[in-house]
């Protein structure tokens, strides 16, 4: 039995008091975007009321304070994933981070004859940038296949990888199936066979598991702030220092140049700052720093253990619903995908909303997974640190009613 302050945590997330269609909100869509605790919400208002100014360029007090705050968050994020401050780049999302890598590293260090490996389980954000790059560079993109139980067929990796593999880019946790990929095993297979770079899409992984980029020995680890209880429009690209130093900036303009002349190429400042051209989302970054602080006060391990127990309860409860089909492996983290008989996921989601239950429906930006399971879409319920047993019970009761309604 774990001691976990669920009531205190729930009281820190004001939106959980909302009523939807006269029912208490049952928020089971945190994998799409998580709700925010007071400390995150309040820190942004406080910043605008008392401290706001443009960063990096000013000599005055407010500008210096703002810059210091941003750099403090960089250090906090670095500590959170066991990186160094120079390895943390602020971006706006996971999508932007992957596009940055594809456009900066990909365009400059990948050549005709090389190949890239991803998997059939990826979010579109970790497919499309590589498809575009492959077409542009005329290189081959390989996919580690999915298996019927929703895990990856890792045995195929050693067959796909060769000395021309430049990148292996893979998700930490599947945003559809909740599958946790065995990163240590995957990375060790890859490293044995080639000097490929390893990129981890941590959009879902960072939320549920302790991440130590040094232990993992990945080259890049990317995630979005809004899924980890921070503001939207924030994200992190971790990259090994030597790698970032070699990579040119992708988005260029103000804030990142050492010199600009009208006759010569611009010269840039050092990483990570050279990747942060333009005015950043300072209040968002400060909010993200507070989200990490909030997680740290509870402990990511405690959150993981709590969510793990709750997931077991959710699976046992949902399995009792007539005609339910669950997708994914028996060990899921934070996410459970299902369908109810032949009914379309949109109908189920819309009817559940009548009872205040918020789930995700459709293809979840992972159409290849839908094609693999031969369905147009799935329902997805996802857990967060504030989800409780009552949420799961309300989902189950809602599904029983929906099942009944749809079969009338
Ligand atoms: N990868 C995964 C695994 C995700 O779950 C998501 C968000 N659903 C993304 C990438 C893209 O994240 P964002 O929309 O914040 O860029």
């Amino acid at each position: 039995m774990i001691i976990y302050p669920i009531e205190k945590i729930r009281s820190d997330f004001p939106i959980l008091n909302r009523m939807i269609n006269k029912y208490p909100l049952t928020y089971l869509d945190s994998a799409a975007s998580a709700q925010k605790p007071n400390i995150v919400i309040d820190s942004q208002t406080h910043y605008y009321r008392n401290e706001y100014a443009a960063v990096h360029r000013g000599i005055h007090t407010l500008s210096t304070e703002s810059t210091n705050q941003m750099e403090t968050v960089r250090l906090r994020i670095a500590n959170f994933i066991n990186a160094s401050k120079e390895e943390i780049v602020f971006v706006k999302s996971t999508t932007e981070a992957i596009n940055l890598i594809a456009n900066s590293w990909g365009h400059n260090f990948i050549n005709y004859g090389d190949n890239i490996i991803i998997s059939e389980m990826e979010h579109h954000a970790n497919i499309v940038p590589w498809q575009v790059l492959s077409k542009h560079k005329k290189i081959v993109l390989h996919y580690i296949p999915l298996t019927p139980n929703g895990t990856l067929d890792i045995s195929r990796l050693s067959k796909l990888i060769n000395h021309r593999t430049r990148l292996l880019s893979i998700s930490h946790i599947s945003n559809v199936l909740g599958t946790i990929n065995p990163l240590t095993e995957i990375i060790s297979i890859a490293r044995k066979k080639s000097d490929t770079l390893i990129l981890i899409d941590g959009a879902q992984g960072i939320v549920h598991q302790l991440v130590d980029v040094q232990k993992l020995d990945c080259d890049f680890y990317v995630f979005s702030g809004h899924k980890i209880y921070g503001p939207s429009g924030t994200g992190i690209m971790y990259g090994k220092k030597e790698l970032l130093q070699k990579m040119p900036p992708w988005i260029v303009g103000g804030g990142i140049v050492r010199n600009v002349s009208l006759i010569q190429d611009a010269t840039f400042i050092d990483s990570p700052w050279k990747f942060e051209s333009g005015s950043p989302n300072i209040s968002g970054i400060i909010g993200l720093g507070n989200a990490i602080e909030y997680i740290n006060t509870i402990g990511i391990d405690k959150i993981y253990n709590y969510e793990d127990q709750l997931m077991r309860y959710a699976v046992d409860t949902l399995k009792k619903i007539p005609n339910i089909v669950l997708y994914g492996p028996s060990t899921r983290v934070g996410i459970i995908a299902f369908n109810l008989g032949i009914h379309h996921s949109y109908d189920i989601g819309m009817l559940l909303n009548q009872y205040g239950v918020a789930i995700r429906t459709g293809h979840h930006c992972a159409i290849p997974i839908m094609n693999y399971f031969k369905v147009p879409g799935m329902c997805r319920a996802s857990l967060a640190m504030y989800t409780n047993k009552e949420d799961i019970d309300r989902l189950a009761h809602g599904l029983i009613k929906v099942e009944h309604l749809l079969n009338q």
Side-chain angles (χ1 to χ4, degrees):
M1 183 65 194
I2 351 163
I3 301 177
Y4 185 76
I6 184 66
E7 288 313 320
K8 163 75 177 74
I9 291 172
R10 287 182 70 82
S11 71
D12 288 335
F13 288 78
I15 208 167
L16 298 179
N17 294 323
R18 265 210 62 179
M19 302 294 285
I20 303 280
N21 296 323
K22 301 200 177 115
Y23 289 88
L25 166 66
T26 299
Y27 190 74
L28 294 168
D29 197 18
S30 298
S33 205
Q35 297 300 346
K36 320 300 171 202
N38 282 319
I39 185 174
V40 170
I41 302 167
D42 296 345
S43 64
Q44 290 187 83
T45 335
H46 178 86
Y47 173 64
Y48 279 122
R49 278 189 196 285
N50 302 289
E51 295 154 344
Y52 179 75
V55 288
H56 295 322
R57 271 151 252 172
I59 192 80
H60 57 82
T61 302
L62 290 183
S63 177
T64 312
E65 282 177 6
S66 289
T67 306
N68 290 345
Q69 287 209 58
M70 231 179 96
E71 293 310 312
T72 306
V73 173
R74 199 187 301 276
L75 183 61
R76 188 173 293 163
I77 308 268
N79 292 338
F80 188 60
I81 60 171
N82 197 20
S84 76
K85 195 172 173 286
E86 293 71 30
E87 297 175 314
I88 302 297
V89 178
F90 291 122
V91 290
K92 73 176 161 58
S93 59
T94 304
T95 304
E96 188 180 76
I98 297 175
N99 276 275
L100 193 167
I101 298 165
N103 283 282
S104 166
W105 173 82
H107 273 275
N108 287 283
F109 296 101
I110 200 144
N111 295 303
Y112 178 71
D114 291 340
N115 66 76
I116 288 178
I117 302 176
I118 61 172
S119 88
E120 288 181 1
M121 182 194 275
E122 302 309 311
H123 186 281
H124 296 165
N126 195 27
I127 300 178
V128 185
W130 307 120
Q131 290 179 336
V132 171
L133 183 72
S134 301
K135 197 165 173 208
H136 186 79
K137 291 275 180 170
K138 300 190 174 48
I139 59 158
V140 182
L141 185 58
H142 295 295
Y143 300 89
I144 304 173
L146 201 52
T147 67
N149 73 357
T151 56
L152 290 178
D153 182 357
I154 304 299
S155 67
R156 290 291 298 281
L157 176 59
S158 17
K159 296 188 184 86
L160 292 174
I161 204 160
N162 60 33
H163 71 287
R164 294 301 300 269
T165 305
R166 291 283 166 265
L167 179 76
L168 169 63
S169 185
I170 203 144
S171 50
H172 183 168
I173 291 177
S174 159
N175 69 307
V176 178
L177 304 166
T179 316
I180 170 154
N181 285 320
L183 295 183
T184 309
E185 186 190 341
I186 291 174
I187 293 173
S188 91
I189 296 173
R191 295 255 185 256
K192 250 182 243 153
K193 283 264 191 154
S194 80
D195 60 357
T196 177
L197 295 186
I198 313 276
L199 161 54
I200 307 297
D201 172 354
Q204 300 296 337
I206 193 78
V207 187
H208 304 287
Q209 287 216 314
L210 185 69
V211 171
D212 181 330
V213 289
Q214 294 196 48
K215 241 194 213 155
L216 268 181
D217 190 24
C218 56
D219 297 284
F220 298 107
Y221 191 100
V222 299
F223 59 93
S224 303
H226 68 99
K227 292 187 198 275
I228 189 165
Y229 313 104
S232 43
T234 60
I236 297 296
M237 179 187 85
Y238 155 80
K240 277 187 182 160
K241 200 169 164 181
E242 319 77 66
L243 202 51
L244 294 188
Q245 278 165 352
K246 278 195 260 170
M247 286 165 51
W250 169 46
I251 295 174
V252 286
I256 64 164
V257 287
R258 260 190 229 293
N259 194 24
V260 178
S261 89
L262 299 184
I263 45 171
Q264 276 176 333
D265 286 347
T267 51
F268 300 109
I269 58 174
D270 292 333
S271 47
W273 301 277
K274 73 178 176 197
F275 296 107
E276 297 172 0
S277 190
S279 302
N281 178 2
I282 318 165
S283 69
I285 290 169
I286 290 170
L288 176 59
N290 281 296
I292 301 296
E293 180 65 16
Y294 186 78
I295 291 169
N296 283 338
T297 57
I298 298 163
I300 189 89
D301 282 341
K302 265 200 184 155
I303 295 171
Y304 174 78
N305 288 333
Y306 171 78
E307 289 175 345
D308 185 47
Q309 258 188 21
L310 194 61
M311 180 52 83
R312 287 165 208 268
Y313 178 73
V315 172
D316 289 347
T317 309
L318 292 189
K319 271 186 177 162
K320 294 181 192 136
I321 312 273
N323 295 323
I324 200 159
V325 184
L326 300 185
Y327 302 93
S330 52
T331 311
R332 299 170 176 82
V333 181
I335 288 167
I336 182 161
F338 60 90
N339 270 323
L340 264 191
I342 53 155
H343 302 298
H344 200 289
S345 61
Y346 290 154
D347 295 335
I348 299 160
M350 207 176 57
L351 289 168
L352 280 177
N353 185 53
Q354 301 303 309
Y355 306 113
V357 181
I359 61 158
R360 201 77 175 168
T361 57
H363 57 60
H364 312 283
C365 293
I367 294 177
I369 301 185
M370 302 305 126
N371 291 342
Y372 181 86
F373 287 100
K374 298 187 173 52
V375 289
M378 292 178 187
C379 300
R380 179 186 74 182
S382 47
L383 316 183
M385 65 155 94
Y386 44 71
T387 313
N388 63 10
K389 272 190 168 178
E390 287 73 37
D391 289 325
I392 306 297
D393 292 341
R394 286 198 289 259
L395 168 67
H397 292 148
L399 282 172
I400 289 168
K401 285 193 225 164
V402 168
E403 221 269 328
H404 192 70
L405 271 171
L406 289 172
N407 287 325
Q408 267 177 357

